[in-house]
């Protein structure tokens, strides 16, 4: 089923009329101001018409900038009147025409959009006389601290006057150079800082967070909100922006970067000098750059543009759709199937609009392999023996599936009278060029790293980003595959001329002149990926060195000469067989190496394996092997005579040359599983993901155990991945086919170009997926049939573990993943924390009113810290107990693919049962409170280990800290009685008979642990590891510190041992 998403652009009539009225007023007011200004400057006094034209152009810019500022303050409901015009040389007739068009049409403004300004067209939206003779402050904001430092280095030619403020987000200050947008200012103070990726993430409000109480269908129309990833970053931006005159945004030059730009402005634009929002936005600029070397920084600094709201809106649309669609489907199918089957090998059965079609490509190829039936086929083989060489000519008819027919051809040759002859029909020699590689874009880089280096797409993207942040490579996220005219190819080559690996080749190339790069497309975003500076042989290591080497060699090869091969084709004809007697012998030899001299991994640029037919074996016959072909003369005959061989071959001998004609039997073979490179091709072809997110989608289906990476970097679906993809096909194939997502991606591209309205795109897509979700829920039993035939039901696996507090029936323990308890009588599943060891606890019950569930023990860390665990309370925490573990996780600072990484984290968190390496209950839970002897805000509660001996100890709930009592202690009890001063519970320590350390020989001692100096001096404190198994390595194995064993990384304990 093919689903087309159509966008209606006929809704915002009233808004357009109001915008047009405001536009007319602004133009008139600006005309008056500009006329007065022209009179004062005594310019163009006698050319009023020209003044009018010029004023109209200026008023257009001012008005459009104002609209941009207003649209920024509005909610994501916006139209393309926010975008500034790209043509700076417009005239008054164009303005009048736009007025007439606006008055005649009441359609949505998206149909009358002006083209967005390309990054290379700077704009002036503020008065160049701003703060004439006064001091100004310019705030530069980068996407990462490392880029911020590179910007400061590129702008301030000398670091002697720089002021540096340390921190997670450093601040650098300097006073030079002058700011080009305020050249009349007396002094310019530059302040350079950064964010750490996205400032906000998209999420549902708190009322929609519960998996149990919220119907997933409600999420399609649930509100969304943007929450700060880190409150400290918001405060940091506000502190830096307070009172500043200009803001220059140095975010990554892609859609995500534009989205972050408006997140930054949302935090701090209102704090700039002046209270007029429109005027503030006029003093906001956007730097467009592709590398962070000083020359590119300076070039971007002197050609500042404006942020592109439309690109930001396209990211907002994609984030909202991925959140609502992904979480709705994921919640439903996870709760449905995790509650029925115990060996799914995945904690979350997630669905993603990009992730699932990616899985679908892998499953389709796997099914083609599994359903493939090998068939025998036969082919004629003509072997030529000449001058001591054996050359096998290929049968031009390819192959036949009829054995008798092929054997009949041989028989005809044997019985022919006079004897059959094989004649050299033609000898063709010609030079063929092998084209130099096309410049490297992101997709090509990912495929090259997978094919040539064996580096997966996700790791390749991370490595390229590290090289970019270190200044070695240009920006690695680009769709362009041709160098723009402004790109300095010669200068980039000269930077590599002294390298010991390719320096000699580059010098020769510079002497004779480089070749123009072939083919490719300029998408207008960034130039292709190229080296930005030289790197010594030992300057880089590991994957960074390998990727840099590949990119550099590829760049040099892309501007080198083509390779030249001499191709030879010798055709043979056996007249007895008629049209079936055509054979050919092919070979080639290298004449001029060209780019092949520098490109080590020439095979990664060959895409034939990705595009050829999956079942067509005859394609192999078209390959030209690199080999020398003996000399043949046209008309040279070979008479076929019978062979003494028992193989049924016919032999020919003439003047010492001989040949044989035989029959070869072969079998058709299935295609192989998709390689990473082939999968990337499929995703790019069908519009799944962007150049920046393709690697993350491939990584995600591996992390979720949907596919497995097998030798040859092939992607083989797991049993779970197969069942899910086939289940989607049974219910609704559009859920796994790429068509819908491709159409949505296309609509997001239209939003980015100002050709579609964001809200309309979201509404159409949500309605589409909502109808499919309803159908999915109604027909989930079809998928359930596949699951039941592939996985074990919960009632058939597991072992009786603890009793349910509601039914008093035993719950079955399912190790998972994820670990959980299952009540087969009520079919209720109780997920358990992951990351530790879960044990039974001898029938003890939870003390919470109306709970009565039997308790477990949960052990984490090294050495183990053990805590009580109630399955019911863990899944149903109460607010009065405090914050549950995992609720305070912050978003990643720098996600490689931000939208998918964010969605993955949200799904894990909303599942509620991600990795927990601390006490699974809040510190105010009755079970924990009953064992607490003291409390610290940062380290959590100090409680009695519920193992209760023989080694008595206290453990921290939030830190890997253990407090050991001496061996003479026989028992420790936490009492109900509390200390009057601290209000902590008292503990009673009982010593072994005859071993009491007390002066009076008493065997019982009662006190408050946190204030008792005697108890404090008698214990040993140890700081362990959060993980169950200590990490290998470190210095000296376990080691010994000042009392106690071990410590982090095996370096020895840092705790203090107290003696009597």
């Amino acid at each position: 089923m093919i689903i087309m998403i159509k966008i209606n652009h006929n809704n915002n009539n009233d808004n357009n009329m109001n915008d047009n009225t405001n536009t007319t007023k602004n133009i008139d007011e600006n005309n008056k101001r500009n006329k007065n200004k022209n009179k004062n400057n005594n310019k163009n006094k006698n050319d009023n018409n020209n003044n009018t034209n010029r004023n109209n152009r200026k008023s257009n810019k001012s008005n459009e900038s104002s609209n941009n500022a207003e649209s920024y303050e509005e909610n994501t409901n916006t139209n393309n009147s926010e975008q500034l015009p790209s043509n700076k040389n417009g005239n008054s007739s164009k303005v009048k025409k736009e007025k007439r068009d606006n008055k005649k049409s009441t359609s949505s403004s998206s149909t009358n959009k002006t083209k967005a300004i390309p990054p290379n067209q700077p704009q002036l939206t503020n008065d160049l006389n701003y703060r004439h003779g006064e001091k100004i402050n310019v705030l530069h904001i980068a996407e990462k601290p490392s880029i911020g430092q590179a910007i400061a280095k590129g702008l301030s030619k000398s670091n002697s006057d720089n002021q540096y403020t340390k921190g997670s987000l450093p601040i650098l200050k300097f006073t030079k150079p002058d700011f080009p947008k305020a050249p009349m200012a007396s002094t310019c103070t530059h302040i350079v800082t950064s964010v750490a990726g996205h400032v906000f993430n998209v999420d549902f409000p708190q009322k929609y967070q519960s998996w149990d109480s919220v119907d997933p269908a409600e999420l399609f129309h649930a509100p969304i909100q943007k929450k700060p990833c880190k409150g400290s970053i918001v405060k940091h931006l506000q502190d830096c922006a307070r009172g500043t005159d200009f803001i220059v945004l140095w975010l990554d030059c892609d859609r995500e970067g534009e989205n972050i730009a408006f997140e930054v402005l949302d935090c701090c634009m209102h704090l700039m000098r002046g209270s007029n929002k429109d005027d503030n936005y006029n003093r906001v600029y956007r730097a467009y750059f592709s590398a962070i070397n000083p020359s590119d920084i300076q070039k971007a600094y002197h050609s500042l543009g404006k942020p592109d709201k439309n690109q930001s809106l396209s990211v907002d649309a994609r984030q909202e759709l991925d959140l609502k669609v992904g979480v709705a489907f994921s919640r439903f199918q996870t709760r449905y199937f995790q509650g029925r089957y115990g060996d799914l090998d995945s904690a979350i059965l997630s669905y993603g609009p990009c992730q699932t079609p990616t899985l679908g490509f892998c499953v389709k190829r796997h099914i083609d392999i599994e359903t493939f039936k090998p068939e025998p086929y036969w082919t004629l083989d003509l072997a030529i023996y000449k001058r001591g060489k054996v050359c096998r000519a290929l049968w031009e008819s390819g192959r036949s599936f009829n054995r008798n027919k092929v054997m009949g051809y041989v028989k005809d040759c044997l019985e022919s009278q006079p004897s059959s002859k094989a004649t050299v029909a033609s000898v063709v020699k010609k030079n063929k060029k092998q084209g130099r590689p096309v410049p490297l874009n992101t997709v090509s880089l990912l495929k090259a790293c997978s094919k040539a280096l064996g580096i997966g797409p996700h790791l390749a993207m991370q490595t390229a980003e590290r090289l970019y942040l270190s200044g070695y490579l240009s920006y690695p996220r680009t769709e362009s595959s041709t160098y723009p005219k402004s790109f300095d190819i010669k200068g980039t080559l000269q930077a590599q001329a002294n390298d010991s690996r390719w320096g000699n080749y580059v010098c020769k190339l510079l002497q004779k002149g480089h070749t123009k790069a072939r083919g490719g497309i300029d998408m207008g975003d960034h130039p292709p990926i190229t080296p930005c500076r030289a790197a010594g042989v030992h300057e880089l290591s590991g994957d960074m060195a390998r990727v840099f080497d590949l990119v550099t060699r590829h760049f040099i090869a892309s501007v080198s000469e083509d390779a030249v091969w001499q191709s030879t084709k010798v055709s043979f004809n056996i007249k007895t067989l008629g049209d079936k007697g055509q054979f050919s012998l092919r070979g080639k030899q290298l004449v001029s190496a060209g780019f092949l001299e520098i490109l080590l991994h020439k095979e990664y640029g060959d895409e034939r394996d990705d595009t050829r037919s999956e079942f067509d074996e005859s394609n192999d016959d078209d390959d030209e092997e690199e080999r020398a072909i003996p000399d043949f003369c046209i008309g040279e005959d070979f008479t076929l005579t019978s062979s003494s061989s028992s193989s049924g071959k016919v032999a020919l001998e003439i003047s010492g040359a001989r040949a044989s004609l035989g029959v070869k039997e072969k079998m058709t073979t299935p295609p192989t599983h998709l390689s990473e490179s082939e999968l990337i091709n499929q995703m790019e072809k069908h519009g799944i993901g962007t150049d920046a997110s393709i690697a993350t989608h491939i990584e995600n289906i591996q992390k979720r155990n949907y596919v497995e990476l097998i030798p040859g970097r092939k992607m083989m679906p797991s049993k779970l991945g197969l069942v899910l993809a086939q289940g989607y096909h049974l219910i609704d194939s559009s859920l796994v086919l790429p068509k819908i997502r491709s159409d949505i991606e296309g609509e997001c591209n239209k939003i980015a170009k100002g050709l579609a309205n964001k809200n309309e795109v979201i509404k159409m897509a949500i309605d589409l997926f909502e109808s499919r979700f309803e159908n999915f829920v109604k027909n989930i039993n079809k998928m359930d049939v596949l699951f039941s035939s592939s996985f074990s039901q919960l009632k058939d696996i597991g072992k009786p573990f603890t009793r349910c507090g509601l039914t008093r029936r035993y719950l079955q323990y399912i190790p998972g993943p994820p670990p959980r308890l299952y009540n087969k009588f009520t079919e209720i599943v109780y997920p358990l924390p992951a990351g530790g060891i879960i044990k039974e606890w001898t029938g003890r019950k939870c003390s919470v009113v109306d709970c009565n569930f039997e308790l477990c023990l949960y052990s984490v860390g090294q050495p183990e810290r053990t805590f009580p665990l109630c399955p019911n309370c863990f899944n149903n925490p109460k607010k009065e107990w405090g914050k549950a573990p995992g609720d305070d996780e912050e978003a990643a600072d720098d996600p490689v693919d931000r939208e998918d990484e964010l969605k993955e984290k949200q799904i894990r968190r909303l599942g509620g049962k991600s990795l927990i390496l601390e006490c699974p209950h809040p510190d105010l839970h009755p079970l924990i409170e009953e064992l607490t002897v003291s409390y610290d805000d940062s380290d959590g509660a100090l409680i009695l280990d519920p193992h209760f001996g023989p080694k008595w100890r206290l453990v921290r709930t939030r830190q890997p800290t253990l407090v050991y009592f001496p061996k003479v202690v026989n028992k420790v009890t936490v009492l109900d009685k509390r200390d009057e001063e601290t209000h902590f519970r008292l503990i009673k320590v009982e010593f072994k008979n005859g071993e009491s350390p007390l002066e009076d020989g008493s065997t019982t001692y009662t006190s408050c642990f946190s204030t008792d100096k005697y108890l404090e001096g008698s214990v040993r404190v140890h700081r362990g590891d959060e993980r169950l198994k200590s990490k290998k390595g470190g210095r000296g194995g376990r080691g010994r510190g000042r009392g106690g064993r071990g410590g982090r990384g095996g370096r020895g304990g840092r705790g203090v041992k107290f003696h009597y």
Side-chain angles (χ1 to χ4, degrees):
M1 180 183 296
I2 299 178
I3 308 299
M4 297 299 295
I5 300 178
K6 297 182 179 179
I7 305 302
N8 185 8
H9 302 290
N10 299 317
N11 287 330
N12 298 325
N13 300 338
D14 295 337
N15 291 336
N16 285 334
M17 295 179 66
N18 292 334
D19 289 344
N20 294 334
T21 302
N22 292 333
T23 300
T24 304
K25 292 180 179 179
N26 288 335
I27 290 175
D28 292 337
E29 293 174 1
N30 287 329
N31 283 339
K32 294 178 181 179
R33 287 195 299 268
N34 288 326
K35 287 180 180 179
N36 292 333
K37 183 176 179 179
N38 287 330
K39 290 179 181 180
N40 292 335
N41 293 332
N42 294 319
K43 292 181 179 180
N44 301 324
K45 294 181 180 180
N46 300 321
D47 195 0
N48 293 330
N49 290 332
N50 289 338
N51 281 337
T52 303
N53 293 341
R54 181 160 52 253
N55 292 332
N56 281 332
R57 290 197 298 271
K58 292 181 179 180
S59 63
N60 277 337
K61 291 180 182 178
S62 178
N63 177 60
E64 296 286 359
S65 300
S66 177
N67 287 340
N68 264 335
E70 293 172 0
S71 66
Y72 158 73
E73 289 298 327
E74 293 173 357
N75 197 356
T76 53
N77 183 12
T78 185
N79 55 45
N80 287 53
S81 62
E82 301 157 343
Q83 191 62 47
L84 293 169
S86 61
N87 186 2
K88 297 196 298 179
N89 300 318
N91 50 45
S92 60
S93 61
K94 180 179 178 180
V95 176
K96 293 177 181 178
K97 183 178 183 301
E98 289 179 353
K99 289 182 181 181
R100 290 195 301 268
D101 291 342
N102 287 335
K103 291 180 180 180
K104 292 179 180 180
S105 173
T106 57
S107 61
S108 172
S109 61
S110 61
T111 61
N112 294 323
K113 308 275 187 202
T114 53
K115 186 177 179 181
I117 289 186
N120 59 356
Q121 291 191 13
Q123 296 177 344
L124 298 177
T125 55
N126 69 285
D127 185 359
L128 292 180
N129 289 316
Y130 178 81
R131 294 188 68 79
H132 188 295
E134 300 181 53
K135 296 181 179 180
I136 61 170
N137 293 328
V138 180
L139 175 61
H140 303 264
I141 302 175
E143 188 161 330
K144 303 174 183 68
S146 57
I147 297 179
Q149 294 179 13
I151 291 168
K153 182 179 179 181
L155 293 180
S156 63
K157 299 180 181 179
S158 173
N159 295 328
S160 58
D161 297 331
N162 290 5
Q163 299 180 23
Y164 181 81
T165 303
K166 292 183 178 180
S168 58
L169 300 175
I171 302 174
L172 296 97
K173 293 184 180 181
F174 48 92
T175 55
K176 293 181 180 180
D178 294 336
F179 190 55
K181 303 304 180 184
M184 307 307 293
S186 62
T187 305
C188 177
T189 300
H190 297 271
I191 305 168
V192 181
T193 188
S194 70
V195 292
H198 272 280
V199 182
F200 298 97
N201 60 40
V202 179
D203 201 356
F204 293 111
Q206 185 62 37
K207 63 179 291 187
Y208 293 95
Q209 299 290 347
S210 173
W211 282 48
D212 297 318
S213 61
V214 178
D215 184 351
E218 297 179 23
L219 300 178
F220 287 101
H221 298 287
I224 62 171
Q225 59 187 23
K226 288 197 171 186
K227 300 179 180 179
C229 297
K230 283 187 176 180
S232 58
I233 294 181
V234 175
K235 184 178 184 301
H236 171 77
L237 291 173
Q238 292 175 342
D239 291 342
C240 292
R242 190 167 283 108
T244 192
D245 295 281
F246 293 88
I247 292 179
V248 180
L249 302 163
W250 295 81
L251 291 315
D252 286 351
C253 300
D254 53 16
R255 292 182 187 176
E256 292 291 332
E258 297 292 346
N259 190 255
I260 298 174
F262 283 93
E263 291 179 355
V264 169
L265 295 180
D266 192 26
C267 293
C268 60
M269 192 176 75
H270 62 284
L271 297 173
M272 296 172 64
R273 186 193 300 272
S275 58
N276 189 316
K277 293 180 180 179
D278 295 351
D279 184 59
N280 286 359
Y281 184 79
N282 292 344
R283 291 182 279 112
V284 171
Y285 290 93
R286 178 78 160 94
Y288 292 93
F289 57 102
S290 298
I292 55 175
N293 52 56
S295 60
D296 283 79
I297 295 298
Q298 286 287 339
K299 182 178 179 181
Y301 180 68
H302 291 285
S303 58
L304 299 174
K306 300 293 286 186
D308 190 335
K309 182 66 174 179
N310 289 328
Q311 291 196 44
S312 176
L313 290 176
S314 71
V315 175
D316 288 338
R318 189 186 300 113
Q319 286 180 342
E320 182 172 348
L321 288 174
D322 287 350
L323 174 69
K324 291 184 174 180
V325 175
V327 175
F329 276 91
S330 299
R331 281 192 190 182
F332 174 76
Q333 64 187 25
T334 298
R335 297 293 291 178
Y336 186 89
F337 292 112
Q338 289 288 16
R340 292 172 177 262
Y341 304 98
D343 52 348
L344 297 182
D345 195 30
S346 182
I348 298 292
L349 300 184
S350 63
Y351 175 91
C354 285
Q355 163 203 309
T356 304
T358 303
L359 170 63
F361 295 133
C362 300
V363 171
K364 181 181 182 299
R365 176 62 66 87
H366 179 81
I367 292 175
D368 289 341
I369 296 171
E370 293 298 315
T371 58
F372 183 84
K373 294 181 179 180
E375 294 184 60
Y377 67 91
W378 293 264
T379 183
L380 290 178
D381 177 48
L382 178 63
I384 307 296
Y385 301 87
K386 188 171 183 178
R387 297 180 182 177
K389 292 185 178 181
V390 181
C391 302
R392 296 193 176 276
L394 300 177
W395 190 25
E396 293 290 339
S397 296
R399 62 186 176 183
S400 174
F401 292 93
N402 189 324
R403 180 179 183 275
N404 293 332
K405 182 192 291 187
V406 180
M407 295 300 293
Y409 294 149
V410 177
K411 184 178 179 181
D412 291 342
C413 291
L414 288 172
E415 297 177 351
S416 174
Q417 292 297 332
S419 299
S420 299
K421 294 182 179 181
T423 305
V424 178
S426 65
V427 178
V428 179
K429 292 187 178 182
K430 60 181 179 180
N431 287 344
K432 290 184 177 180
K433 287 187 177 182
Q434 180 181 349
R436 56 199 176 278
V438 174
L440 204 61
N441 62 13
T442 302
V443 172
S444 299
L445 173 66
L446 299 181
K447 292 191 291 185
C449 287
S450 178
K451 280 187 173 182
L453 306 181
I455 300 177
H458 190 68
L459 179 58
M461 197 71 249
Q462 289 181 327
T463 305
E465 285 183 337
R466 288 199 298 270
L467 288 167
Y468 162 68
L469 294 176
S470 302
Y472 290 100
L473 294 185
S474 62
Y475 191 61
R477 300 180 187 271
T478 176
E479 298 180 20
S480 295
S481 54
T482 188
Y483 303 118
K485 294 181 179 179
S486 60
F487 185 76
D488 186 8
I489 295 178
K490 184 177 180 180
T492 307
L493 285 172
Q494 288 174 339
Q496 305 295 329
N498 296 323
D499 192 282
S500 60
R501 293 160 291 184
W502 46 71
N504 291 335
Y505 180 91
V506 171
C507 290
K508 295 178 183 178
L509 185 61
L510 288 170
Q511 288 177 0
K512 61 183 178 182
H514 63 78
T515 306
K516 181 180 178 181
R518 72 179 182 94
I521 301 175
D522 187 358
M523 300 299 293
D525 51 353
H526 293 278
I529 305 169
T530 59
C532 293
R533 65 175 185 177
V537 177
H538 304 294
E539 189 172 336
L540 298 171
S541 61
D543 289 340
M544 291 182 69
R546 299 170 67 206
V547 172
F548 179 81
D549 182 274
L550 184 146
V551 172
T552 303
R553 290 181 181 274
H554 189 107
F555 163 70
I556 298 172
S558 70
V559 293
S560 299
E561 293 182 344
D562 293 338
V564 180
W565 298 85
Q566 185 184 67
S567 173
T568 302
K569 179 182 179 182
V570 182
S571 298
F572 297 88
N573 181 32
I574 300 176
K575 292 183 179 180
T576 304
L577 301 180
D579 293 339
K580 299 297 182 181
Q582 305 297 323
F583 295 83
S584 63
L585 178 63
R586 293 187 175 105
K588 65 179 182 180
Q589 288 183 296
L590 188 63
V591 177
S592 174
F595 74 91
L596 294 178
E597 185 178 343
I598 190 66
L599 197 65
L600 297 180
H601 305 281
K602 59 179 180 295
E603 70 277 3
Y604 74 73
D606 188 356
E607 297 300 330
R608 289 177 298 172
D609 291 340
D610 297 340
T611 58
R612 64 172 48 183
S613 171
E614 297 160 4
F615 309 108
D616 189 1
E617 294 290 336
S618 64
N619 283 346
D620 293 338
D621 298 345
D622 295 331
D623 293 338
E624 284 191 353
E625 181 182 348
E626 185 178 357
R627 60 179 176 176
I629 301 296
D631 292 332
F632 289 91
C633 297
I634 297 176
E636 187 175 356
D637 290 333
F638 297 87
T639 302
L640 296 175
T641 60
S642 60
S643 172
S644 59
S645 155
S646 60
S647 62
K649 291 184 178 181
V650 181
L652 161 121
E653 294 186 7
I654 200 167
S655 302
R658 59 193 180 87
S660 64
L661 181 67
V663 177
K664 280 189 176 182
E665 181 179 353
K666 298 181 180 180
M667 298 289 290
T668 58
T669 57
T672 62
H673 286 95
L674 283 178
S675 66
E676 289 173 326
S677 177
E678 291 172 319
L679 180 56
I680 293 171
N681 270 345
Q682 291 289 324
M683 297 174 70
E684 183 183 28
K685 176 182 176 181
H686 292 91
I688 299 301
T690 64
D691 61 314
S693 64
I694 283 176
T696 302
H697 300 318
I698 297 176
E699 177 75 5
N700 284 342
I701 62 175
Q702 295 180 66
K703 289 193 303 184
R704 292 158 189 167
N705 295 322
Y706 293 167
V707 299
E708 176 187 0
L709 188 65
I710 60 176
R713 304 207 70 83
K714 305 286 186 179
M715 311 290 285
M716 185 177 73
S718 67
K719 182 169 62 174
L720 177 59
L722 281 170
V723 170
L724 278 174
Q726 290 295 81
Y728 293 135
H729 277 295
L730 281 177
I731 299 174
D732 185 350
S733 292
S734 65
L735 293 176
V736 70
L737 293 177
K739 178 60 179 174
I740 291 182
R741 179 61 191 192
S742 178
D743 289 341
I744 292 176
E745 196 68 40
E747 295 302 322
C748 289
N749 290 336
K750 289 182 180 179
I751 296 174
K753 296 175 182 178
L755 302 176
N757 181 275
K758 187 201 84 168
N759 289 337
E760 293 176 357
V761 170
I762 292 177
K763 183 180 184 303
M764 293 293 292
I766 289 295
D767 290 344
L768 185 67
F769 275 106
E770 185 179 25
S771 63
R772 276 154 176 72
F773 179 78
E774 293 173 355
N775 180 61
F776 181 71
V777 172
K778 292 178 182 178
N779 295 279
I780 192 65
N781 59 305
K782 294 180 180 180
M783 184 183 282
D784 195 27
V785 173
L786 294 178
F787 271 85
S788 62
S789 63
S790 303
F791 300 99
S792 302
Q793 295 191 16
L794 288 177
K795 64 181 181 181
D796 299 326
I797 62 175
K799 63 177 182 178
F801 201 66
T802 59
R803 288 184 184 272
C804 172
L806 303 177
T807 63
R808 301 309 300 159
R809 301 276 191 173
Y810 272 102
L811 302 175
Q812 291 177 277
Y813 176 61
I814 313 298
R820 55 204 185 277
L821 295 175
Y822 172 66
N823 190 328
K824 63 181 180 181
F825 300 98
T826 61
E827 294 191 351
I828 296 177
V829 178
Y830 299 93
L832 299 174
I837 298 174
I838 299 171
K839 306 173 185 177
E840 299 173 86
W841 197 19
T842 62
R844 288 180 172 83
K845 296 181 181 180
C846 180
S847 57
V848 174
V849 178
D850 297 328
C851 181
N852 295 322
F853 273 67
E854 286 188 355
L855 301 176
C856 313
L857 292 177
Y858 183 66
S859 300
V860 296
Q862 181 69 24
E864 290 184 3
R865 294 175 296 139
T866 303
F867 306 99
L869 170 63
C870 172
N872 182 50
C873 294
F874 177 70
N875 287 277
N876 300 284
K878 297 181 179 180
K879 291 183 179 180
E880 57 265 28
W881 298 341
K883 185 177 293 184
D887 281 356
D888 55 350
E889 294 180 0
E890 293 181 332
D893 288 347
D894 184 24
V896 174
D897 179 17
R898 298 173 177 91
E899 60 193 47
D900 281 319
E901 290 292 334
L902 177 59
K903 183 165 71 68
E904 168 71 10
K905 185 173 181 179
Q906 288 170 333
I907 290 175
R908 283 204 325 269
R909 179 173 56 79
L910 293 175
K913 315 300 169 271
S914 55
L915 194 67
I916 293 181
L917 302 175
E918 57 188 63
C919 177
H921 291 302
D923 289 341
L924 297 182
H925 187 283
L927 287 174
I928 306 303
E929 202 277 334
E930 291 170 358
L931 300 173
T932 299
V933 299
S934 69
Y935 182 80
D936 184 272
D937 289 336
S938 59
D939 295 338
L942 184 65
I943 69 171
L944 181 65
D945 189 309
H947 270 131
F948 299 152
K951 295 181 179 180
W952 295 90
R953 59 190 180 184
L954 306 175
V955 295
R956 284 285 183 191
T957 56
R958 308 300 161 209
Q959 293 293 331
T961 302
L962 300 91
V963 178
Y964 291 92
F965 286 93
K967 294 181 179 181
V968 297
V969 173
N970 185 52
K971 184 178 181 181
V972 178
T973 306
V974 180
L975 306 177
D976 291 334
K977 187 177 180 181
R978 297 179 179 271
D979 180 68
E980 295 182 357
E981 180 180 351
T982 63
H983 299 288
F984 293 144
R985 292 176 181 268
L986 302 179
I987 63 171
K988 182 173 72 172
V989 181
E990 300 178 30
F991 299 100
K992 297 178 181 179
N993 290 331
E995 299 184 30
S996 174
L998 301 176
E999 294 180 359
D1000 58 0
S1002 174
T1003 59
T1004 301
Y1005 184 81
T1006 301
S1007 181
C1008 176
F1009 179 81
S1010 63
T1011 59
D1012 191 283
K1013 299 298 182 182
Y1014 177 78
L1015 287 178
E1016 182 180 329
S1018 65
V1019 298
R1020 177 169 57 90
V1021 180
H1022 178 85
R1023 299 191 181 277
D1025 198 312
E1026 291 181 342
R1027 301 281 178 174
L1028 277 171
K1029 294 182 180 180
S1030 59
K1031 299 178 181 178
K1032 295 182 180 180
R1035 295 184 294 176
R1038 288 184 299 179
R1040 290 188 181 272
R1042 294 180 297 168
R1045 290 182 179 181
R1048 293 184 181 269
R1051 293 181 58 186
R1054 294 187 179 183
V1056 179
K1057 183 175 181 180
F1058 297 92
H1059 301 279
Y1060 295 119

